[in-house]
Amino acid sequence: MKKLISIIIAATLFSSFAFAKKYKGDVQLSMGGSAEEMKAKDVDLTGDAGLINADINAKSGMFEFDVQTWHLFGINDWFSVGFMAGFNTGIGLTTELKLENSNVYLENAKVDSDNLAVAAHVNFLLGPAVGFDLGKVVRFNVTAGIDFGIVNMYSCQKDGDSSKLMSTYSSPVGIGFEGQAKFLPKAKVSPVVSYRVTSDFAKTLYFYDQDEDKHEDYSVDSLNVINNAFTVGISFNW
């Protein structure tokens, strides 16, 4: 059944391309902000204290810089189908990092806000897309596709020393949704406003101790990273 559905979708997409009246492509450069949260459940940590089971939660606020390209094929004057791909990056500050439900540490052990440090993410979003044109005024683009989390990282200072960071990061994979409004879409250069949400999952959480130059990886029962981003930018159209 899944293969049949995939064949039907592919046939519909290629048929749409075959009858497409006009190709619409672009490269978009956007900036903005994002809020991200990671929840890792039942992390299996092994250290000097022996086996440690805990949940690890992290939050961050980041400055976004995204590079995307959209390729649409007009079915008629107001509807287009195609695909998009883009690297979505962010760098900012970890706003919360805490350990919960541990069998060793106190409940809700939390890193002091003064010791929180840099946070960052790099994601690649790829998926089918549709566009809805309202004349020459605006085009609403929508995509829902696969999101590849190349890295989602949060960090804190070790012993209060800003030159010694301890980082936790993952490379999750999941789904992403983006909706945007491109104004004056038939012009060579257009302003774009976008909202994006991604929800990614992984089974491994990584740790890096900068002071000891030591990497560790730990299995988790579940890990979910949710990122909400709002950006504005420009689109170079052809």
Side-chain angles (χ1 to χ4, degrees):
M1 180 60 70
K2 291 183 179 180
K3 291 183 178 180
L4 178 60
I5 293 174
S6 299
I7 293 173
I8 293 173
I9 293 174
T12 302
L13 189 59
F14 283 119
S15 296
S16 299
F17 292 169
F19 290 101
K21 296 175 61 178
K22 188 176 182 181
Y23 164 68
K24 309 165 186 177
D26 67 28
V27 171
Q28 301 180 7
L29 304 178
S30 299
M31 295 181 293
S34 71
E36 186 169 284
E37 181 174 11
M38 179 199 73
K39 292 184 178 181
K41 299 293 185 181
D42 195 16
V43 184
D44 290 333
L45 303 169
T46 302
D48 295 337
L51 182 64
I52 303 171
N53 294 314
D55 299 339
I56 297 178
N57 295 336
K59 295 180 180 179
S60 65
M62 290 178 280
F63 170 78
E64 288 285 320
F65 180 75
D66 302 341
V67 180
Q68 298 183 349
T69 180
W70 293 66
H71 302 271
L72 299 174
F73 301 83
I75 305 304
N76 51 44
D77 292 337
W78 62 273
F79 180 66
S80 305
V81 297
F83 67 94
M84 68 78 64
F87 283 98
N88 307 309
T89 65
I91 186 166
L93 180 67
T94 303
T95 57
E96 183 176 276
L97 186 58
K98 63 182 181 180
L99 182 147
E100 299 178 308
N101 302 323
S102 171
N103 62 338
V104 175
Y105 297 117
L106 295 175
E107 181 76 7
N108 299 327
K110 187 176 181 179
V111 176
D112 187 81
S113 60
D114 292 336
N115 290 327
L116 294 173
V118 66
H121 83 89
V122 179
N123 292 59
F124 179 70
L125 180 61
L126 175 66
V130 296
F132 303 91
D133 284 64
L134 297 181
K136 298 180 180 181
V137 179
V138 63
R139 176 183 303 139
F140 295 102
N141 293 332
V142 179
T143 185
I146 301 175
D147 188 62
F148 301 90
I150 299 172
V151 62
N152 293 79
M153 184 268 290
Y154 319 89
S155 65
C156 63
Q157 300 176 17
K158 183 177 182 181
D159 301 325
D161 187 344
S162 60
S163 66
K164 301 176 182 178
L165 298 183
M166 298 182 66
S167 303
T168 177
Y169 62 96
S170 62
S171 297
V173 176
I175 57 175
F177 168 85
E178 181 168 336
Q180 62 175 222
K182 178 195 284 191
F183 300 94
L184 305 175
K186 298 185 184 300
K188 293 297 184 181
V189 179
S190 304
V192 181
V193 178
S194 303
Y195 169 74
R196 181 182 65 255
V197 59
T198 58
S199 181
D200 299 336
F201 304 89
K203 298 297 289 184
T204 304
L205 186 64
Y206 303 93
F207 287 87
Y208 175 64
D209 187 329
Q210 184 181 10
D211 182 33
E212 299 182 8
D213 192 22
K214 183 179 180 181
H215 286 270
E216 299 285 353
D217 57 270
Y218 304 101
S219 62
V220 301
D221 181 64
S222 66
L223 186 153
N224 180 218
V225 179
I226 296 178
N227 182 286
N228 288 272
F230 178 82
T231 63
V232 295
I234 57 174
S235 172
F236 300 93
N237 311 315
W238 56 81

